[in-house]
Amino acid sequence: MATNPQDTAAVFELNDTTANPAPLGLLGFGMTTVLLNLHNAGMFPMDAMILSMGIFYGGLGQIIVGIMEWRKNNTFGATAFTSYGLFWLTLVALIILPNTGFIQAPDNSAMTAYLVMWGLFTGVLFVGTLRMNKALQVVFGSLTVLFFLLAAGDATGNHAIKIIAGYEGIFCGLSAIYAGLAQVINEVYGRTVAPLGLVRQLG
C-alpha cells in the first residue's frame, strides 16, 4: 500500500538568526531629526548636509530597515520605518523640486496639511507603542507633538513656534538615538545596561 508523502514529510521550523534592524532605523531617524531641528531652532541654515542625511540615512536607510522588519513579520516596524523613510524623501523633494522651476513650492496651507497628516499618522502609531517599551513611547509621543508644532508654525506664520518645535524636535531625535543605541549596547553586553522601560521590544 502506497504511503502518502504528506503523511511522512518532515516538519521544518525556520529559525530566524538575522540581527535586529530596529536600532539602525531608530538611529537613521534620530540623527537626521536632530540635525534638521538644529536648523529649525535657528542654529544653521538649510543646506546640503541636512538634505543628504534626509536622502540617505533618514530616507533610504529607514526604507531598508522597513523591508527587513517586514521579513521579520513585524507589521509595526515595517510600516513605521518604511513610512518615515519615505517621509524624509518627500521632505527633501519638497525643498529641492521647486528649485527646478517646473514645480511650484507649497504654500503654508499645503505644508500645514502635510504636517497634520503626518501628525495624525504618528499619533496612531503612538497608541501602538503603548504595548511596547517606554523608550519608543517617548519617541513616538514627542514626534506627534513635533509634527503638530511644525504645522501650527506654518498655519500661523509664527516664527517663535518653529523655534520651540526645533528644540522639541532635538529632544525627539535624541530619544530615538537613545532607543537605538540602548538596544545595541544591551545586546552586546547581554544584559540591560541602558534601560528601555521594556514592555515588548520592537524588532
Side-chain angles (χ1 to χ4, degrees):
M1 177 173 148
T3 303
N4 188 338
Q6 294 181 347
D7 294 336
T8 59
V11 177
F12 294 97
E13 182 177 343
L14 180 63
N15 183 23
D16 184 4
T17 59
T18 57
N20 176 13
L24 175 60
L26 287 166
L27 290 168
F29 170 80
M31 292 173 63
T32 309
T33 298
V34 167
L35 292 172
L36 174 64
N37 284 284
L38 287 171
H39 156 73
N40 288 337
M43 298 184 187
F44 46 71
M46 178 69 69
D47 57 19
M49 179 273 289
I50 298 174
L51 297 179
S52 296
M53 286 288 287
I55 293 171
F56 296 104
Y57 201 25
L60 296 178
Q62 283 195 95
I63 292 171
I64 292 170
V65 169
I67 294 170
M68 295 166 72
E69 291 283 15
W70 166 79
R71 181 65 183 83
K72 283 181 166 289
N73 196 29
N74 184 346
T75 302
F76 183 96
T79 302
F81 288 123
T82 306
S83 294
Y84 291 121
L86 292 168
F87 161 77
W88 283 112
L89 293 182
T90 61
L91 184 62
V92 171
L94 286 169
I95 295 169
I96 291 178
L97 289 179
N99 292 331
T100 65
F102 295 104
I103 300 175
Q104 181 178 344
D107 60 16
N108 284 349
S109 62
M111 286 304 298
T112 299
Y114 172 79
L115 293 165
V116 166
M117 287 302 298
W118 280 105
L120 292 172
F121 169 75
T122 305
V124 174
L125 290 185
F126 168 72
V127 174
T129 65
L130 298 178
R131 297 293 301 274
M132 299 178 184
N133 62 60
K134 302 300 182 185
L136 287 177
Q137 292 172 26
V138 173
V139 173
F140 282 86
S142 60
L143 181 58
T144 302
V145 173
L146 174 60
F147 277 126
F148 285 116
L149 279 174
L150 291 170
D154 280 328
T156 62
N158 189 324
H159 184 67
I161 296 177
K162 291 189 176 183
I163 296 292
I164 294 170
Y167 284 102
E168 200 276 345
I170 294 169
F171 169 80
C172 175
L174 290 175
S175 69
I177 292 171
Y178 173 84
L181 289 178
Q183 292 185 54
V184 173
I185 294 300
N186 292 344
E187 181 178 313
V188 168
Y189 279 87
R191 60 186 175 86
T192 300
V193 176
L196 292 166
L198 189 60
V199 177
R200 183 171 67 84
Q201 286 253 21
L202 173 62

